[in-house]
């Protein structure tokens, strides 16, 4: 495991060992799911997950489609 | 002249996309995904709206997702900005939706003014619409039934104008048909009644007035039998559209003419007896 970092994920403070968005996606079981991720206010395209580093203090939003009118 | 059955197939388009069904449905307020899927199927809708929300952390990642039940390969998924109160939030939500749906650009913009009424905030709606159109989105826009606002939204490049019939979730039907008529008379893009449809007759009236389509969610989801109401809405939209195309008879307040011939009537029995 790598260094533990602290990030804010969907409003919750969490500590984790992921070094990239791709590692976070794998650790959370989101791979292949229809999600979209925003890191510090900017969308991270799916194709860039593996190359986008996670740093302590990052704010992430992960969204899905839900029922709505 | 096509047969009446052929005339029922009456395609319409939003932007460059063609559709057959003129009923759009929302996916909120259902008991579960199974009921959502069945009601949407019963409605015959091709366009279904979804909301964008934070994923629940700690939830089983294999738990079913709405889009497992409503496949984007079968339906045109229309992400909306329900719950957004500023242009900035709405634009952010739809950028995320575009990423989520792999580049999909057809979206429903709604920017709400206050929670008590869910009445649209038109200045913020206009600001968001302008930004989204510049970014290449095809914007279907929820708006007040103000003909001037509708025209301004069309002028900035929205692909469909979606005025409220009455407040979201109210089921009050079309409260201002005169304004809706003004919007319909001026618009060159599809006008879709969104919000306030309570039952099938409301949808039929909107279509008889010349709306391109109707969008409803609560009227189906909160009916006692959602599947049956979905079917009723489907038929109402087809009936209303057919009536609009057929051209209704003129209304007359007096001098009604009977449907049966006036001539050849047998003399009244009472008249014969007194003769």
């Amino acid at each position: 495991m790598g260094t533990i970092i602290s990030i804010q994920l969907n409003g919750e403070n969490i500590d984790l060992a992921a070094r990239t968005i791709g590692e976070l996606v794998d650790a959370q079981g989101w791979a292949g799911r229809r999600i979209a991720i925003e890191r510090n206010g900017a969308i991270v395209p799916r194709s860039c997950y593996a190359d986008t580093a996670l740093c302590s203090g990052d704010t992430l939003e992960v969204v899905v489609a839900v029922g709505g009118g | 002249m096509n047969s009446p059955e052929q005339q029922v197939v009456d395609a319409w388009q939003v932007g460059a996309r063609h559709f057959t069904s003129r009923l759009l449905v929302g996916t909120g307020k259902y008991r579960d995904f199974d009921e959502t899927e069945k009601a949407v199927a019963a409605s015959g809708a091709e366009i279904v709206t979804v909301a964008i929300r934070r994923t629940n952390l700690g939830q089983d990642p294999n738990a079913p997702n709405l889009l497992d039940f409503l496949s984007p390969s079968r339906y045109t998924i229309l992400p909306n900005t329900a719950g957004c109160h500023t242009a900035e939030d709405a634009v952010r939500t739809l950028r995320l939706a575009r990423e989520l749906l792999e580049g999909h650009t057809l979206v429903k913009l709604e920017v709400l003014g206050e929670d008590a009424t869910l009445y649209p905030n038109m200045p913020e709606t206009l600001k968001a619409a302008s930004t989204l159109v510049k970014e290449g989105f095809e914007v279907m826009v929820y708006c007040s039934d103000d003909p001037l606002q509708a025209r301004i939204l069309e002028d900035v490049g929205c692909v469909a104008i979606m005025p409220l019939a009455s407040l979201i979730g109210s089921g009050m039907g079309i409260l201002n048909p005169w304004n809706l008529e003004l919007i319909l008379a001026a618009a060159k893009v599809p006008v879709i009644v969104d919000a306030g449809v309570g039952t099938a007759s409301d949808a039929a009236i909107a279509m008889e007035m010349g709306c391109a389509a109707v969008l409803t969610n609560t009227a189906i989801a909160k009916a006692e039998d959602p599947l049956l109401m979905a079917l009723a809405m489907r038929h109402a939209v087809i009936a209303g559209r057919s009536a609009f195309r057929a051209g209704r008879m003129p209304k007359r307040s007096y001098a009604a003419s009977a449907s049966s011939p006036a001539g050849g009537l047998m003399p009244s029995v009472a008249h014969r007896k007194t003769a």
Side-chain angles (χ1 to χ4, degrees):
Chain A
M1 295 296 277
T3 319
I4 301 292
I5 58 165
S6 299
I7 65 165
Q8 196 176 75
L9 180 57
N10 286 359
E12 289 182 29
N13 295 312
I14 62 164
D15 298 330
L16 74 170
R19 289 164 299 182
T20 64
I21 300 270
E23 287 184 10
L24 173 69
V25 166
D26 288 340
Q28 295 284 335
W30 292 331
R33 309 294 298 172
R34 287 184 183 276
I35 57 167
I37 301 180
E38 192 190 71
R39 173 178 171 259
N40 300 334
I43 289 173
V44 182
R46 199 176 304 269
S47 57
C48 300
Y49 288 171
D51 300 328
T52 304
L54 269 183
C55 306
S56 245
D58 277 356
T59 299
L60 258 63
E61 293 288 341
V62 181
V63 299
V64 291
V66 301
Chain B
M1 187 81 181
N2 293 331
S3 73
E5 288 74 23
Q6 283 173 309
Q7 287 189 30
V8 169
V9 179
D10 170 28
W12 64 294
Q13 72 184 84
V14 181
R17 297 160 211 258
H18 294 260
F19 300 99
T20 307
S21 168
R22 290 172 178 268
L23 177 61
L24 289 67
V25 295
T27 55
K29 302 181 182 175
Y30 285 100
R31 266 195 292 274
D32 51 34
F33 289 146
D34 183 57
E35 188 183 65
T36 312
E37 180 187 27
K38 286 181 174 143
V40 171
S43 77
E46 295 165 310
I47 304 177
V48 298
T49 65
V50 302
I52 304 298
R53 290 290 181 273
R54 283 172 162 174
T55 188
N56 290 326
L57 300 177
Q59 181 186 303
D60 174 8
N62 294 315
N65 174 283
L66 177 66
L67 296 182
D68 296 335
F69 287 80
L70 298 170
S71 163
S73 61
R74 177 173 174 190
Y75 295 102
T76 296
I77 304 296
L78 189 66
N80 72 20
T81 59
C84 291
H85 290 75
T86 65
E88 193 182 2
D89 286 345
V91 169
R92 177 190 189 197
T93 298
L94 292 177
R95 285 176 183 151
L96 280 164
R98 180 163 60 180
E99 167 64 21
L100 179 72
L101 294 166
E102 287 146 17
H104 174 88
T105 54
L106 189 67
V107 296
K108 176 186 161 182
L109 171 65
E110 62 176 89
V111 185
L112 303 177
E114 52 177 19
D115 289 333
T117 62
L118 301 178
Y119 204 79
N121 180 328
M122 295 313 299
E124 290 296 308
T125 300
L126 178 61
K127 205 191 296 179
S130 305
T131 304
L132 290 164
V133 168
K134 282 188 198 113
E135 293 187 11
F137 286 93
E138 298 169 276
V139 181
M140 301 172 72
V141 61
Y142 172 63
C143 55
S144 62
D145 60 358
D146 175 338
L148 197 62
Q149 294 286 357
R151 198 184 73 202
I152 292 168
L153 288 166
E154 185 176 344
D155 287 346
V156 301
C158 292
V159 296
I161 304 298
M162 305 208 286
L164 52 80
S166 45
L167 297 179
I168 292 175
S170 71
M172 295 286 284
I174 302 170
L175 294 185
N176 195 339
W178 313 107
N179 268 22
L180 186 55
E181 268 185 11
L182 291 173
I183 294 171
L184 284 162
K188 293 180 191 67
V189 296
V191 175
I192 300 169
V193 156
D194 183 0
V197 168
T199 187
S201 54
D202 295 333
I205 289 169
M207 296 308 296
E208 283 178 16
M209 289 178 67
C211 290
V214 167
L215 195 162
T216 185
N217 188 157
T218 312
I220 297 176
K222 288 296 162 198
E224 283 183 31
D225 184 338
L227 272 55
L228 196 53
M229 186 56 86
L231 188 66
M233 289 293 181
R234 175 186 202 158
H235 288 306
V237 165
I238 293 170
R241 175 65 184 172
S242 299
F244 170 73
R245 295 176 71 210
R248 61 153 298 148
M249 64 163 280
K251 282 183 183 173
R252 291 200 285 197
S253 59
Y254 63 94
S257 69
S259 296
S260 303
L265 197 64
M266 291 179 290
S268 148
V269 172
H271 178 72
R272 199 171 63 217
K273 276 179 183 161
T274 56

